[in-house]
């Protein structure tokens, strides 16, 4: 009987060149798995949620200002899923920069009261 040895997962996403995130290799490579690995997707969302709460300045991570460009510059196994994941993460970071009780929430509350 022959035993099959599992090989490392096939990675179809790769750089098209001109990737500014390549120097951040660990973060870069983890982001390449967003469309195929649920854990990588959750890590992206967790980073987005905590972006304004934690200090990432000392970490070698690809930041939200690069996520949409990153998504555009790479090929994906599931392109729609990758685009959706990065757009959602950028949206989450953007919402975190709005303070509770800020103009957006007051406007909604006022419109609701009318």
């Amino acid at each position: 009987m022959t035993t099959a040895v599992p090989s490392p997962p096939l990675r179809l996403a790769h750089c098209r060149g001109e990737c500014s995130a390549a120097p951040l290799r660990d973060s870069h490579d983890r982001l390449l798995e967003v469309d195929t690995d649920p854990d990588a997707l959750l890590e992206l969302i967790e980073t987005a949620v905590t972006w304004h709460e934690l200090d990432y300045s000392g970490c070698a991570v690809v930041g939200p200002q690069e996520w949409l460009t990153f998504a555009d510059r790479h090929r994906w196994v599931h392109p729609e899923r990758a685009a959706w994941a990065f757009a959602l993460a950028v949206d989450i970071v953007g919402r975190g920069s709005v303070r509770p009780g800020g103009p957006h929430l007051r406007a909604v509350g006022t419109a609701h009261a009318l």
Side-chain angles (χ1 to χ4, degrees):
M1 175 182 237
T2 305
T3 304
V5 177
S7 60
L10 178 64
R11 185 178 303 203
L12 297 178
H14 60 278
C15 289
R16 293 182 188 165
E18 303 175 13
C19 184
S20 62
L24 305 170
R25 181 55 55 196
D26 290 340
S27 177
H28 173 276
D29 290 350
R30 190 64 177 149
L31 287 174
L32 287 177
E33 299 173 355
V34 162
D35 68 327
T36 58
D37 181 350
D39 290 333
L41 175 60
L42 288 173
E43 287 172 20
L44 173 64
I45 298 304
E46 180 181 30
T47 302
V49 168
T50 61
W51 190 258
H52 295 291
E53 299 171 7
L54 302 176
D55 181 8
Y56 284 93
S57 62
C59 302
V61 297
V62 178
Q65 68 281 3
E66 295 291 326
W67 288 342
L68 294 178
T69 303
F70 183 92
D72 288 340
R73 289 188 175 166
H74 294 85
R75 294 187 185 145
W76 304 95
V77 175
H78 305 285
E80 298 83 15
R81 185 184 303 162
W84 188 10
F86 284 105
L88 178 60
V90 168
D91 184 56
I92 290 168
V93 170
R95 291 170 188 255
S97 65
V98 176
R99 295 181 179 192
H104 175 70
L105 292 180
R106 273 190 236 119
V108 169
T110 304
H112 182 67
L114 295 173

